[in-house]
Amino acid sequence: MTTQLYPNECVKRIVAFVPEGHLHARFMIEFCDKTIILHEATVAGLVRAFALVALHPQRRAAELTVKHLSEDEKKPVFAEWQLLETDRDEQEVLREAEEKWKQSTIPECCTKPTPQRESSQ
């Protein structure tokens, strides 16, 4: 599986919405080459990971993995599939992530000049 890096200029827009008949938000991210939709629980995992690293004065990496939780294990109205922090060594997680980052590619649509990019330069 290849790893792609999407810098901010590759993001066309982000839309948050609650689908008809649902209680939890979905997040649609339109990139230059594809659109993805994330469930609220996934974004909650992203926010937790962000807080663990970006708001900590020393921490440089955190890893969350998916776990199925029974009704007894989770809070009411939380999804049964959750991204939870692992106990993996921070340096090991950081090394793995940096290696994938170094090998990642930026989609071609992000590197081509567009009328919007040309007018902002």
Side-chain angles (χ1 to χ4, degrees), residues 9 11-12 112-121:
E9 63 267 23
V11 181
K12 292 169 70 175
K112 290 181 180 175
T114 64
Q116 285 178 322
R117 259 190 241 129
E118 288 174 351
S119 65
S120 66
Q121 293 177 348

Side-chain angles (χ1 to χ4, degrees), residues 7-107:
N8 212 33
E9 63 267 23
C10 293
V11 181
K12 292 169 70 175
R13 70 181 181 140
I14 297 172
V15 176
F17 65 101
V18 178
E20 184 91 25
H22 289 264
L23 299 174
H24 297 98
R26 305 297 189 270
F27 299 84
M28 181 175 70
I29 306 170
E30 285 184 10
F31 297 103
C32 61
D33 64 342
K34 67 178 75 172
T35 299
I36 64 170
I37 298 176
L38 301 174
H39 281 228
E40 183 175 315
T42 304
V43 175
L46 282 167
V47 170
R48 286 197 312 275
F50 172 80
L52 287 168
V53 175
L55 303 178
H56 193 282
Q58 296 174 318
R59 197 160 189 183
R60 297 197 50 219
E63 177 184 62
L64 282 66
T65 57
V66 70
K67 183 176 180 191
H68 183 264
L69 300 176
S70 69
E71 288 296 322
D72 295 336
E73 294 176 298
K74 67 180 185 67
K75 293 178 183 177
V77 306
F78 272 60
E80 60 188 68
W81 291 96
Q82 288 289 327
L83 292 162
L84 300 175
E85 190 174 357
T86 69
D87 59 1
R88 233 175 115 205
D89 179 69
E90 180 180 347
Q91 290 304 312
E92 185 180 323
V93 172
L94 180 59
R95 275 191 299 277
E96 179 187 351
E98 283 183 341
E99 189 59 37
K100 286 194 180 246
W101 173 65
K102 288 175 185 173
Q103 295 174 2
S104 67
T105 58
I106 295 175

